[in-house]
Amino acid sequence: MKPTTVLRDLLARREAAILPGAANAMFARVIERQGFGAIYVTGAGIANMHLGAPDIGLTTVTEVADIVARIADATEAPLLVDADTGFGNALNTARTVRLLERAGAAGLQLEDQVFPKRCGHFAGKEVIPEADMVAKIRAAADARKDGDLQIVARTDARAIHGLDAALDRARAYIEAGADVTFVEAPTSEEEMARIAAELPVPQIANIVHGGKTPEVGRERLAEMGFGGVLYANAILQASIRAASEVARSLADHGDLSGVTGRLAGFEERQDVVDKGRWDALDARYKLTGGESDNDA
């Protein structure tokens, strides 16, 4: 089955499938090996990890497409990709869809913030006019080559205009062709329940450690009927903490004796990057090369 179809069906079940976030191919492999049905390619994570910068709209579509292609090459799991604002107007959005679909995305998340965007849990967000976002969603739906490519329309209007306005926007985006909607940063369990109950397509919940949305757990989100749950940067946050502790130990003690429990072993590390498969390929082609030489 195509990755796009797998992602479509996963979200359509409305069982609150967890999509951990990855900002690079290695984190994606770690996630895939734990058996998750899909992976979220996190825009904030790409900005943090690849630019060392906050999530304030600094990445470009070509940078994101390059990282998506690397992740798609390293994993089999469907990728739901954070495409920010589409990187411009409706025409830019159409190009973004073509680039990211070609790179290996199974779904694209587009948001209605002004450019440059900000993390959904930052203060000071602004949203574009609803009609402008409707045009972007139409452009995205028209640009995709695979009809199962999931167009996820995110609205950040809750923090600015309130929940009712955000729900109205989500309905307009569905009418424009969005397959899934994502009302960012509800602030209570009651608001989350309304989102899932009142919108007719699968919904995305975004759980940010330290963010505005309460963590009610997958079981409760499944009861509400959410299609997917993003833990976009939990793995990145864990890696920052572990890296800081290891660097601190080296600075303070000159060795790793106090942090060995934080480190993957050498063999574990090679296993994550599938060294055994590469070794097998190397042996196969060396053997093939040797036979060719002998035949000559």
Side-chain angles (χ1 to χ4, degrees):
M1 191 181 295
K2 298 177 300 182
T4 52
T5 308
V6 173
L7 180 63
R8 182 200 67 188
D9 292 350
L10 182 72
L11 298 177
R13 288 198 288 270
R14 305 194 190 205
E15 296 175 352
I18 293 177
L19 283 70
N24 60 30
M26 189 186 70
F27 283 175
R29 286 190 56 78
V30 168
I31 293 165
E32 183 179 47
R33 285 160 56 86
Q34 298 304 317
F36 288 97
I39 297 169
Y40 181 67
V41 180
T42 158
I46 289 172
N48 294 169
M49 178 161 283
H50 294 272
L51 304 183
D55 183 22
I56 54 172
L58 297 176
T59 56
T60 66
V61 64
T62 50
E63 288 173 324
V64 173
D66 182 55
I67 291 164
V68 170
R70 296 179 191 182
I71 294 173
D73 191 48
T75 64
E76 299 294 331
L79 305 179
L80 173 58
V81 178
D82 182 357
D84 284 353
T85 62
F87 299 95
N89 63 15
L91 298 180
N92 298 113
T93 298
R95 179 170 183 261
T96 292
V97 170
R98 290 196 297 270
L99 285 173
L100 295 180
E101 183 175 20
R102 189 163 63 242
L108 299 175
Q109 173 200 304
L110 299 162
E111 64 196 63
D112 61 3
Q113 284 196 47
V114 301
F115 182 85
K117 57 78 55 88
R118 302 172 67 84
C119 169
H121 291 250
F122 285 174
K125 297 187 296 182
E126 298 179 55
V127 293
I128 62 176
E130 180 182 304
D132 291 352
M133 183 62 175
V134 164
K136 289 188 185 188
I137 297 301
R138 286 178 175 160
D142 288 345
R144 60 185 168 184
K145 293 184 179 299
D146 182 342
D148 284 347
L149 179 80
Q150 296 295 281
I151 304 298
V152 179
R154 167 177 146 178
T155 179
D156 285 72
R158 162 63 187 88
I160 304 155
H161 301 300
L163 182 62
D164 287 338
L167 291 170
D168 286 342
R169 281 186 171 237
R171 293 184 188 99
Y173 303 160
I174 294 165
E175 181 70 20
D179 304 292
V180 177
T181 54
F182 171 3
V183 178
E184 173 66 304
T187 59
S188 69
E189 185 173 343
E190 290 72 24
E191 288 191 355
M192 298 172 80
R194 279 193 63 192
I195 291 165
E198 296 183 22
L199 295 171
V201 299
Q203 297 301 304
I204 297 290
N206 186 26
I207 307 301
V208 177
H209 180 65
K212 298 179 182 296
T213 301
E215 184 168 5
V216 299
R218 179 179 180 272
E219 183 176 346
R220 177 66 183 120
L221 289 169
E223 289 173 357
M224 293 179 189
F226 277 87
V229 187
L230 308 182
Y231 283 86
N233 289 292
I235 291 173
L236 173 59
Q237 288 171 280
S239 72
I240 291 171
R241 174 64 61 82
S244 297
E245 291 179 1
V246 170
R248 184 74 266 158
S249 179
L250 288 172
D252 289 347
H253 307 296
D255 62 36
L256 297 172
S257 58
V259 291
T260 54
R262 294 289 189 191
L263 304 176
F266 184 80
E267 293 301 326
E268 180 183 355
R269 175 179 148 210
Q270 305 314 316
D271 192 38
V272 167
V273 296
D274 207 9
K275 185 173 182 295
R277 181 176 69 88
W278 291 101
D279 288 344
L281 286 172
D282 186 40
R284 173 185 174 185
Y285 297 134
K286 281 181 177 177
L287 178 61
T288 301
E291 289 175 343
S292 297
D293 290 344
N294 291 336
D295 291 341

